[in-house]
Amino acid sequence: MILEQVMLGNKCFPNYRPENHEKTGFDFYRDAKYDLSENEQKILRLLVNGDPSQAIAGTLAIHVSTVDKSLRRIRKKFHVSSNIELIKVLLMMDLV
């Protein structure tokens, strides 16, 4: 149970269920980092810096819809539902 893990001092993520995955702890999320394309990594860096989708699109010379689609794919890989939650997970994992 997640509450028991937190009480033991372990960090838990809302959509992570160890019983559903062979990996435990951060390893499940760390693997997603390596599945990111170079463009997705650039988008994430800009997002973490506080840039909105339109600014990210301008910086990378791509369409805003491309940024939004990429962010949806990234959120799915990290099993989060919002950009704020994504940034929180990345910060907790020291990936950014």
Side-chain angles (χ1 to χ4, degrees), residues 39-40 42-48 50-71 83:
N39 201 38
E40 288 173 332
K42 289 177 186 177
I43 289 170
L44 269 183
R45 278 189 224 108
L46 293 169
L47 179 72
V48 170
D51 293 353
S53 294
Q54 192 165 8
I56 294 171
T59 301
L60 299 178
I62 57 178
H63 199 275
V64 176
S65 66
T66 304
V67 173
D68 292 336
K69 287 176 189 175
S70 295
L71 287 171
N83 289 342

Side-chain angles (χ1 to χ4, degrees), residues 13 83-93:
F13 297 97
N83 289 342
I84 298 294
E85 192 176 2
L86 174 62
I87 292 169
K88 181 180 175 183
V89 168
L90 293 171
L91 291 171
M92 289 176 70
M93 295 170 50

Side-chain angles (χ1 to χ4, degrees), residues 6-7 10 13 15-17 22 30-31 41-42 51-52 60 63-64 82 84 86 88 92 94:
V6 171
M7 290 173 59
N10 298 323
F13 297 97
N15 294 324
Y16 177 69
R17 303 286 186 266
E22 293 178 0
R30 285 197 193 281
D31 282 354
Q41 291 177 32
K42 289 177 186 177
D51 293 353
L60 299 178
H63 199 275
V64 176
S82 70
I84 298 294
L86 174 62
K88 181 180 175 183
M92 289 176 70
D94 292 326

